[in-house]
Amino acid sequence: MTGLDPPAAPTRRRAVALISCAAAAVAALVAWLAWPSGPAGPEVLSAASADYRVEVSVAVPRVGTTRVEVTVTDRAGRPAAPATVTVAPVMPAMGHAFTPVALTPAEPGRHRADVSLLMAGQWELTVAVAGPAGRQQVVLPLTVRG
């Protein structure tokens, strides 16, 4: 080696340091995304149609059978007594759509049923309420975790 050769070691060290930092950043991002966000609890969604307010509580939005509770009130907030309440899970991105599930009345204005959610991702719950004012529906977004 002569004094005229360029020093290659500092350039290699910089490249290795840069690659190491990028790998550490990617690893930290993956760990952050995969880390549990705390205890899973019910997710509460709400929407209103022309005559009803609908609140949906999903016990644990996860893959498999999930308990769904729907509270239906009139626009003034009083419990409504519709003839039927159904929920239909739909996953538009994957083309999954299921037959509406009839909910069972639990108490005035409250209904429940178990629904199947086949995979993690973004779902839509279409809640249809049929009562004296006719049939009305709302669509609520639900994120399901694996």
Side-chain angles (χ1 to χ4, degrees):
M1 176 168 187
T2 67
L4 301 176
D5 292 333
T11 304
R12 275 195 205 118
R13 275 189 238 139
R14 274 189 233 131
V16 168
L18 182 61
I19 291 170
S20 297
C21 287
V26 168
L29 178 64
V30 168
W32 179 72
L33 291 173
W35 197 265
S37 61
E43 184 162 343
V44 179
L45 313 163
S46 62
S49 67
D51 297 303
Y52 301 107
R53 292 179 194 264
V54 177
E55 182 178 280
V56 176
S57 176
V58 181
V60 180
R62 66 170 182 235
V63 174
T65 301
T66 301
R67 171 61 52 106
V68 174
E69 295 190 9
V70 176
T71 302
V72 181
T73 60
D74 62 18
R75 297 291 279 183
R78 295 180 298 260
T84 61
V85 178
T86 62
V87 63
V90 176
M91 188 178 210
M94 300 303 288
H96 298 309
F98 296 96
T99 304
V101 175
L103 281 79
T104 304
E107 57 189 68
R110 296 194 62 152
H111 308 267
R112 47 176 76 111
D114 292 331
V115 298
S116 294
L117 303 168
L118 297 179
M119 63 189 310
Q122 189 63 41
W123 286 79
E124 292 177 353
L125 299 178
T126 300
V127 179
V129 178
R135 185 176 187 276
Q136 299 174 23
Q137 68 182 31
V138 296
V139 179
L140 300 148
L142 177 68
T143 302
V144 175
R145 298 197 186 264

